[in-house]
Amino acid sequence: MFVDLVQPTGHSGGVHRALHALTVAAYLTLVAGVVVAEPPITMPHHPVAAVVLGAVYVGSATVGFGRVRRRSGRALHIAFVAAQLLLGYAVFVASGASVGAILLLLVLVSQSALLLPLPGALVVVGLVPFAHLGMEWRAGLREGLGMLAAAAFAAVLTRLIVREQQARQELTRAHEQLREYALQVERLAVAQERNRVARDIHDGLGHSLTVVQMQVKAARAVLGTDPDRADAVLAKAQAQAEEALAEVRRSVGAMREPRPRAPLAEALRELAEQASAAGVPTSLDVAGQARPLLTAAQESLYRAAQEGLTNVRKHARATRAELVLDYTRPAAVRLEVRDDGAGVAAEPVGLPGYGLLGVRERAAHAGGRMSLESAPGCGATLSVEVPG
């Protein structure tokens, strides 16, 4: 019954309720033994005193114990246990060493295991058998040793049950923490994916639309004087728009499943041709022997080239540009986007604008770094270096 009543409903709450139930059951056993009034075997008894003292003991073991355990203070706990021990002795003697009185003393042992540190509980275990001192010495020794064994068992059982409850509570808290960590990881993953999609839109679709815009503006400028040239430029704009649409489709497909990519040098050569068609002659120089790269590294270099050429066309007022893909370093691959335009005074603090911010984020994600070198009137060089 004691074990069945123990449930992890708070710090030792189930143990306390089980002890209360055992206390009441022990008192009823005591009263039944006194009412039957069987002649005592080893000790005289006083039924009325036993019932009255037993009732006092039950009240202090339930209501009193509940109040004491809610208060901190070692002295208060020791005083409670000492008072209950003396009262338990009195009940034991008045009842003539009845079974009910023995059970009440065992309740005290369990309560001491809850209130006192282990050495204090062991002292109570050692003192409980002294209730048999009034018996004939052989019977007292026999009954005392039995009481000692029962008290030790009750103390150990109580400690084990409380420890098991605490372990369950700690496990519950650990599960809650793991759930919270999982939610945090999920939120971070969502934020990273949101940033990745934003970079893809800016670097891919944004680049293509910039090229189309410049080509359309160039076609409108010569539409009245050179229709054939305007038509050729518009044809390139249409092709670029189709490529942008294909890029959107590829991006959507990438969210569903991985897709094979063209070799990096080939993809960069297409970018150079597009930039040249948009009005800024662009060359590609590959140094060293090409080697496979991780997807994140290759994506970082390709998007850096896209963003760099887009900035050259939009802001640099350059007459030419150059892409340099350098495989000569032993453990890294470097991409540079150079132009002969107006340049900037210095690298902008914090790199305002989503394009360069996306380049830096991609490089960091691939384990690399980005730098921007420029001076007024001397052009600019955007560099990205990644492991590879």
Side-chain angles (χ1 to χ4, degrees), residues 32 56 79 85 131 155 183 187 193 212 221 283 313 316 327 339 364 371:
V56 174
L85 182 61
L183 290 176
R187 287 192 291 266
E193 182 64 12
V212 171
S283 62
R313 290 192 296 270
Y327 288 100
D339 69 79
S371 63

Side-chain angles (χ1 to χ4, degrees), residues 60-80:
S60 59
T62 53
V63 178
F65 174 72
R67 293 181 178 178
V68 168
R69 73 180 177 83
R70 286 192 290 269
R71 299 170 119 190
S72 60
R74 183 67 52 79
L76 176 62
H77 293 172
I78 293 175
F80 173 80

